[in-house]
Amino acid sequence: MKKYLRRYPGFTLTELLVTLVIIGILVLIAYPNLMPLISNAKSTEAKLQLEHVYNLEKSYFYMYSKYSTDLNEIGFEQEKLSSENGRANYKIAISSATNTGFKATATAISDFDGDGNIDLWEIDQDKSLKEVTKD
């Protein structure tokens, strides 16, 4: 009894490799255009974290009539940084605090778009959120 081999339609290895090369070229062309979008998406983290620090500082101020320089004292917990196998891209710190005001910063832990600039955001007691150094 003879066994007949059936041929199934499919792609050859050469066709698959050519397709992967074409996709790779398209990704390389699109990548530089996507970098600003990636950087903007990551800066959203800084804005949200600084607004959270602002709310915690205001609550602390209403209780003690002064602002604090200690993140733990106001109840802020810094998530593990991505450089330490965490998810956070920004290091949050309170740079100054007095009885009348405070200034908190969010500093990027890496250069997102490779241009040599590190992103830096800042917020104060008036909720003035601004990008000090643009990445």
Side-chain angles (χ1 to χ4, degrees), residues 56-125:
L56 291 172
E57 281 281 16
K58 279 298 185 182
S59 296
Y60 186 87
F61 178 78
Y62 294 142
M63 290 175 61
Y64 301 104
S65 299
K66 64 178 184 173
Y67 294 102
S68 174
T69 57
D70 186 12
L71 289 172
N72 292 325
E73 193 172 12
I74 64 172
F76 181 83
E77 292 183 28
Q78 172 76 51
E79 189 171 336
K80 238 181 174 182
L81 299 173
S82 61
S83 61
E84 302 166 351
N85 296 326
R87 297 184 318 177
N89 294 304
Y90 286 85
K91 174 78 174 147
I92 308 299
I94 300 173
S95 54
S96 65
T98 64
N99 292 344
T100 59
F102 77 93
K103 191 171 286 187
T105 59
T107 308
I109 60 168
S110 64
D111 182 10
F112 300 133
D113 58 7
D115 65 356
N117 295 329
I118 300 292
D119 205 17
L120 176 65
W121 287 83
E122 188 176 83
I123 196 167
D124 62 13
Q125 71 281 350

Side-chain angles (χ1 to χ4, degrees), residues 14-35:
T14 306
E15 291 171 331
L16 290 174
L17 288 176
V18 168
T19 304
L20 288 175
V21 167
I22 291 171
I23 290 172
I25 291 170
L26 291 175
V27 167
L28 286 175
I29 291 170
Y31 186 70
N33 295 333
L34 294 177
M35 284 311 297

Side-chain angles (χ1 to χ4, degrees), residues 2 13 48 77:
K2 282 188 167 179
L13 182 60
L48 291 173
E77 292 183 28

